[in-house]
Each structure stands twice: as structure tokens, then as C-alpha cells.
Amino acid sequence: MNIFSNFPSMYFKKNFITKIAGVALLSLLCLNIVSCTDIEVLNNEDDILKPPPTVYIASTSGGLNGIIPVVTYWKDSIAFPINNGNKGAFANSIFVEGNDVYVAGLENDGQITIAKYWKNGIGVSLTTSQNNANANSIFVSGTDVYVAGWKQKYHGAPAVATYWKNGIEFPLPSNKFSSYAESIFISGNDIYVAGYENDANGNEIAKYWKNGIGVNLSNGSIHTTAKSLFVSGSDIHIVGIENNGYTRVIKYWKNGVSNSLTDGTLDAFANSIFVSGNDVYIAGGEGIPNGGPSIAKYWKNGKPTALTNGQRDAAAVSIFVLENDVYIAGDIYNSSGYPVGTYWKNGVPTSLTDGKNIGYAMGIFVK
């Protein structure tokens, strides 16, 4: 029993032990009241007063039965809907810097989708209603806001992989066919973007750009896309998907060197990557080819952990690791056939949306 739980707060100060006068009293405490180990733990004020981390999630709900899709961000399971008037919107990514919450996605303006991000619920349009566009990923470094996605030069034109810095557009060099930016990461003064482009035969070529210079990760012989990247020190970690026409295989590249995370027996997909220390975490899923329910999973250093039981479709979409805790956002389909926005902490699920309409949890950030 730890009797210090009932002591006044004045006792919980640094150097607690030094405030107890006399070696004899300290010995008495150790022998008769509480263990010395307990006193050492209490002596660490940081451990006692440190608040739990806050979990932020970007989601979308609605879209069926006349319900307009609404972007929402969640703070520890408390919903903050973003009022977008009568325009439908979709969230793709979330980032938190200081007290500011940034969500990237798109807004539907009639027949056109507009790339957009919201800062604390206030929308910033990156494109106009003249052509289709989408914001897939957001990263904030200091006062600079970086967004990656794609846009058309004009309505009906091929998509062009693009990033925006503080609203200024930077198209990424690619061929004359379609290209898409899926993920952005800032490390020091370097800007990294992962995505893919189509070749003349319609095959997808996975690639990344560093400061606007493209590096191909595949050769176009098979459909391959890069979905997410994370830079740790001098190492560039990227995860994507290779489609052999029957199943999809998760591909992981470290500094351009490719490894297959799955063997192609099941249909697998990856959506997000996170690096913590020497550990590499990848979120996605795996299921029976051609219609079998997919199981939400994550991989730590190549070893899979299932988050669902395979009774209904599910997917892990975004992953974040903090102090050895693994946080994942995604969705699980319910018995009505609707995806329910969900997040897992160390494998334990929490439902965010009510399951009465479409609900997706697309991005997660923990601090």
C-alpha cells in the first residue's frame, strides 16, 4: 500500500527525500511505511505530473441518404466538426503543431474537387473550382505548412503531382501522363514527397521526390505505388503496393532498396509508415483475394499483428508511435455495411463514428 497517495500535494516536490530530516526517519519510512523503491519513484516529479498524451484523429462521416460528408477532427474522442456549409468534404491527413490542428483533404464544389486544408477548423483553399485537385498529406514545420496532393492543369487534363508550401503551388517533375503525390515529410531543409506516375502503357511507377528531384522506385513492368514515407536521420523509409494482377504485395523501401513485406498469397495493402528509433511500423491490411474480408493489420519490423478477426472488412489507414504505444486510425465495417471510423491503441479499438452512415478515420497524430 502506498500511503503517499493521501498526502497533501506539498509533499510531491523535487528532492522529496532530502526534505525528510534524518537518516533514522528515512530508515523508518523504508522499513515500516513504504519501500525505498516507492520513494524513488515519487521523487521523480516529472513522472508524477506528466499528463497523458493527446490523440488527434481526422475523419469523415456521411455521404449516403442525403447526408453531406462532413470533416471532423477528434481530440481524445471528442468530436470537432468542421462546418463546410452545404459542400461535402473529405479528410485525408492530420498534423498538430503547438496548439494548432491542421487537417488536409478535399471539398466538393459541384462537379469539381478542391484541394484544401483546415487550420483549427478554418478552411484554406489551395486550388479553385476550375479543375479537380486533392490534398492527400500535410506536414507543418515551424510556421511553414506543406501539403502534398495533385491537381489538373485544366479540367479533364492529366493529374499532376503537386505540393504546396504556405499556399504556393509547386508542381513536381514527372512525365506527360498522370502523377500523384501521396505523402510529404520535412527533414531539416529538405522536402520529401512520395507518390507515383503513370507511363504510356498505363502502368504505375512508384517514386519519390527530394527537393523536386524525382527518384523511381520501380520500372513500370508491374503496377507499383508509393503510399507513405518517413525520414529518420539520413534514412528514407517508404511503403507502397505492388499489384501483380491477382493480389497486391506490400513493398517497403529503405533508401531505395526494395523488400516485400508479404508474399502475395493474400491480397495485402499498406497505407502508412512510422519509424521510432530502430523500429519500422507499417499500417494496412490483408485479406482473401477477390472479395474476402480484409483484416486490419500493422507490421513491426516485418512481423504482422492483426487488429480485427476477419469477420468483416477492416483497414488500418494511419499509424503513430509514441513512447512504445502504437496508435492506429482506420475503419471496421458493421453489420449494416457501413464503415465505422475507429482507432486502436495497442490493439484495443475505440469507435468514433456511430455506424449509421459512412465513417472513416483517415489520419492520426499523438502528442
Side-chain angles (χ1 to χ4, degrees):
M1 177 179 179
N2 189 344
I3 68 167
F4 289 94
S5 60
N6 296 318
F7 272 26
S9 60
M10 62 177 289
Y11 284 82
F12 292 92
K13 303 295 182 181
K14 281 188 175 179
N15 302 318
F16 173 82
I17 296 176
T18 62
K19 294 191 176 189
I20 301 176
V23 175
L25 180 57
L26 178 59
S27 300
L28 180 62
L29 285 169
C30 289
L31 290 172
N32 299 312
I33 301 178
V34 67
S35 73
C36 291
T37 301
D38 288 336
I39 295 177
E40 290 173 0
V41 172
L42 289 171
N43 189 43
N44 189 337
E45 183 186 54
D46 292 337
D47 288 342
I48 298 169
L49 301 179
K50 185 176 181 180
T54 301
V55 181
Y56 299 84
I57 297 168
S59 74
T60 302
S61 58
L64 294 179
N65 305 322
I67 304 299
I68 295 173
V70 175
V71 168
T72 299
Y73 76 85
W74 303 76
K75 182 178 179 180
D76 286 338
S77 298
I78 299 174
F80 294 86
I82 295 174
N83 185 356
N84 223 42
N86 61 354
K87 296 179 180 179
F90 196 92
N92 290 318
S93 178
I94 190 168
F95 199 99
V96 182
E97 177 70 14
N99 295 319
D100 297 320
V101 180
Y102 300 79
V103 176
L106 64 85
E107 176 184 271
N108 194 331
D109 187 13
Q111 300 299 314
I112 299 295
T113 59
I114 297 172
K116 193 165 187 173
Y117 75 88
W118 295 262
K119 177 182 178 181
N120 302 325
I122 306 300
V124 177
S125 295
L126 299 169
T127 58
T128 69
S129 59
Q130 300 301 309
N131 40 41
N132 284 304
N134 192 9
N136 288 320
S137 178
I138 190 165
F139 195 107
V140 182
S141 179
T143 59
D144 295 322
V145 181
Y146 299 84
V147 180
W150 58 267
K151 65 166 290 187
Q152 296 173 317
K153 291 183 178 179
Y154 54 88
H155 187 57
V160 177
T162 303
Y163 79 87
W164 293 263
K165 178 181 178 182
N166 300 327
I168 300 174
E169 175 187 313
F170 296 90
L172 291 164
S174 56
N175 59 31
K176 63 181 179 180
F177 308 102
S178 297
S179 60
Y180 302 86
E182 297 282 338
S183 179
I184 190 165
F185 196 101
I186 311 302
S187 179
N189 295 320
D190 295 320
I191 303 169
Y192 298 84
V193 178
Y196 62 96
E197 65 182 4
N198 293 98
D199 64 14
N201 298 317
N203 289 328
E204 296 159 334
I205 301 171
K207 69 187 306 175
Y208 74 93
W209 295 263
K210 178 181 178 181
N211 300 325
I213 300 174
V215 177
N216 286 353
L217 298 169
S218 62
N219 59 16
S221 61
I222 190 169
H223 294 283
T224 311
T225 60
K227 300 293 292 182
S228 178
L229 87 163
F230 195 105
V231 180
S232 178
S234 59
D235 294 324
I236 305 169
H237 302 264
I238 299 174
V239 70
I241 303 168
E242 181 182 85
N243 192 331
N244 62 21
Y246 177 67
T247 61
R248 293 170 293 175
V249 174
I250 296 176
K251 305 294 290 187
Y252 162 62
W253 296 268
K254 181 179 179 181
N255 300 325
V257 179
S258 171
N259 289 282
S260 295
L261 207 63
T262 56
D263 61 9
T265 303
L266 297 175
D267 184 51
F269 56 91
N271 294 310
S272 179
I273 189 169
F274 196 98
V275 180
S276 178
N278 295 319
D279 297 320
V280 179
Y281 298 81
I282 292 170
E286 205 170 29
I288 299 171
N290 298 322
S294 60
I295 298 172
K297 293 184 177 183
Y298 76 92
W299 288 258
K300 178 182 177 181
N301 301 326
K303 182 180 179 180
T305 297
L307 298 169
T308 56
N309 58 18
Q311 292 182 355
R312 297 191 179 95
D313 268 328
V317 179
S318 179
I319 190 166
F320 200 104
V321 180
L322 181 66
E323 297 178 352
N324 297 319
D325 292 320
V326 181
Y327 302 82
I328 296 172
D331 57 79
I332 305 173
Y333 278 73
N334 62 16
S335 58
S336 299
Y338 295 143
V340 178
T342 303
Y343 85 90
W344 295 262
K345 178 182 177 181
N346 299 326
V348 179
T350 298
S351 297
L352 297 172
T353 58
D354 60 14
K356 297 178 181 179
N357 210 302
I358 293 174
Y360 295 104
M362 297 297 295
I364 192 164
F365 196 101
V366 186
K367 63 174 295 186

